[in-house]
Amino acid sequence: MNLPNKLTVMRVVLIPFFVFFLLAPYFEGYGNYIATAIFVVASLTDMLDGKIARKYNLVTNFGKFMDPLADKLLVCSAMICLIEKGTLAAWIVIVIIAREFIISGFRLIASDNGIVIAASYWGKFKTTFQMLMVIVLILDIPNPVFQMIGVILTYIALILTVISLVDYIAKNKDVLKEQK
């Protein structure tokens, strides 16, 4: 278990704490800020683990598989919580989560054929914008400009989600052809 993989596991471990502080009624006025701090730390581990893995040649199949999964767990948990809080429309979350299930299915088929598919740049852009969207929506600062930034980030994240899905399927369509 190298450092990048430990950072990925740490991201998964932070998720229940993030959800607790975001949804628990015990931290009136402060829960969102604590949750945001946890989410930012978890999101930064995503950037950090990849840079360390590539720089020091510590890329592993575990990391290629777990890193995108950890991102999905973090972001999907956040978006589901934002539905609960009435901050994000369920249909947007359904589209985003559907993309994640489709990609996970592709990865499963690929792994059955001994192929590990790493995240693409579109997928990384998508994850970055989803994380930015989540941060802005959790903070929910009552300012019209800030609110508009939240709306813009939401639609950029949604568009990148669809683009990354199409790109992923186009680049990996051969994985499906190998199935008989």
Side-chain angles (χ1 to χ4, degrees), residues 43-62:
S43 297
L44 289 175
T45 67
D46 178 37
M47 179 185 68
L48 192 58
D49 66 7
K51 285 188 184 220
I52 293 170
R54 285 184 294 278
K55 183 175 182 177
Y56 296 103
N57 197 26
L58 298 172
V59 176
T60 64
N61 284 343
F62 176 84

Side-chain angles (χ1 to χ4, degrees), residues 7-134:
L7 289 170
T8 297
V9 170
M10 184 181 97
R11 189 161 59 255
V12 174
V13 169
L14 286 173
I15 294 169
F17 297 98
F18 162 73
V19 170
F20 174 75
F21 283 105
L22 185 58
L23 295 181
Y26 314 116
F27 307 98
E28 213 46 53
Y30 297 102
N32 282 7
Y33 297 113
I34 297 168
T36 300
I38 293 170
F39 187 85
V40 167
V41 167
S43 297
L44 289 175
T45 67
D46 178 37
M47 179 185 68
L48 192 58
D49 66 7
K51 285 188 184 220
I52 293 170
R54 285 184 294 278
K55 183 175 182 177
Y56 296 103
N57 197 26
L58 298 172
V59 176
T60 64
N61 284 343
F62 176 84
K64 287 180 187 177
F65 175 77
M66 251 337 263
D67 180 65
L69 183 59
D71 297 340
K72 291 172 187 174
L73 290 171
L74 177 65
V75 173
C76 290
S77 297
M79 290 187 300
I80 291 167
C81 290
L82 289 169
I83 293 172
E84 171 75 18
K85 293 177 73 77
T87 311
L88 190 59
W91 73 268
I92 292 172
V93 177
I94 291 168
V95 169
I96 291 171
I97 290 176
R99 181 257 184 215
E100 303 308 341
F101 274 105
I102 293 167
I103 299 304
S104 294
F106 255 86
R107 282 202 167 109
L108 185 61
I109 292 168
S111 71
D112 283 349
N113 291 315
I115 302 166
V116 176
I117 302 171
S120 70
Y121 284 108
W122 282 111
K124 291 177 184 185
F125 291 138
K126 175 234 11 143
T127 299
T128 300
F129 275 91
Q130 286 176 355
M131 289 176 172
L132 290 171
M133 170 195 75
V134 165

